[in-house]
Amino acid sequence: MKPNIKNIAVLTSGGDAPGMNACIRAVVRTGIYNGINMFGVLQGYQGLITNNIIPMDARSVSNIIHLGGTVLKTARCLEFKTDEGMDLAYEHLKLHQIDALVVIGGDGTFTGARRFAQRHHINVIAIPGTIDNDLYGSDFTLGYDTAINTVIEAIDKIRDTADSHDRLFFVEVMGRDSGCIALRSAIACGAEAVLLPEKATSLDELIKQLEVGAATKKSSSIVIVSEGHKQGGAYDIAKHVKEKFNHYDTKVTILGHLQRGGSPSSFDRILGSRLGYAAVNELLKGSTQQMVGLRGNDIRLTSLDEALTEHSFKLESDLLEMTKVLSI
Ligand code: F6P
């Protein structure tokens, strides 16, 4: 049965990701096109708790499609995890007569959305927005493509200086639990090795690989380390390697939060637009507690239950093996 939805709110939560603004624009304009009153919640779930909710019209999302970050701001909100926080958030939604919610974020955002929808029977659609690309049910998450291009641009520059000085660089990229950024950027940058959170790599094996490179006249090398690697970050790994393999001068670069910013790629602008458009249309059809995601080239629904229980990034061992072969 189609619900009688008159007012929809949109929020961004967790880590920001390029393409969120394109997505907010699509949500707001699709709602308005369908005669819905649209609202924006500032600072994610925190804004629901503090009643930081503003009306949005078509012009309020003009000239944002090309901007990184999120015009709605974002936060990681601990209070929303409590029953009291959720109840207060619901009171504020009722104050504005908001019937349904679109949330854009990662797994923390989805967990909050599912609990909130179950506790207060409010219709919710979630959109995968995180540079980590670690949500089950969508081949790509919003922001991942831009982030990986940012990483590639940075590592290309590092390679220039690594090559000029004959140095070994350890470059740390984001991804607490997911090695997706690390693996794909390793392929795209032609890195000599990559260390992922999903795979325990023996440092002896890494050293052996670097020794073979040095013996076959590799003058410089780049090793990409995912921040979530179990044996430590880039500084720890560099220290361990240097103790046993001192052939090159060694340097460490942490790319950090620069991976989260910047103007979204065409891919993320289009993905954000498609997901935002689909999210509102799904709410109007009566869907709830679902994620809209991209599978193949189609927009598909995945229940929040499934999106949150299935493991997203199954380590693509073939790609890992390929990076080894291509970096000899
Ligand atoms: O989830 C996105 C992400 O950028 C992760 O890759 C990273 O581990 C984390 O957020 C960093 O979070 P914060 O900006 O809160 O330090």
Side-chain angles (χ1 to χ4, degrees), residues 19 102 113 156 186 197 226 270 296 309:
V102 175
D156 286 351
S226 200
I270 295 165
T309 26

Side-chain angles (χ1 to χ4, degrees), residues 14-16 76 130-132 134 173-177 181 227 257 260:
D16 60 322
R76 301 193 192 273
T130 163
I131 64 163
D132 290 351
D134 61 348
V173 298
M174 276 186 164
R176 228 177 342 222
D177 307 308
I181 294 178
E227 67 171 334
H257 284 80
R260 288 243 292 264

Side-chain angles (χ1 to χ4, degrees), residues 215-266:
T216 55
K217 299 202 167 34
K218 251 188 203 286
S219 55
S220 63
S221 281
I222 291 185
V223 175
I224 299 185
V225 182
S226 200
E227 67 171 334
H229 188 257
K230 302 289 176 284
Q231 278 147 287
Y235 277 107
D236 304 306
I237 306 286
K239 190 167 168 269
H240 285 300
V241 170
K242 211 170 161 52
E243 278 162 14
K244 293 190 181 162
F245 175 74
N246 204 9
H247 180 84
Y248 299 104
D249 185 14
T250 300
K251 296 283 173 187
V252 173
T253 303
I254 313 276
L255 293 184
H257 284 80
L258 80 80
Q259 294 162 89
R260 288 243 292 264
S263 181
S265 64
S266 62

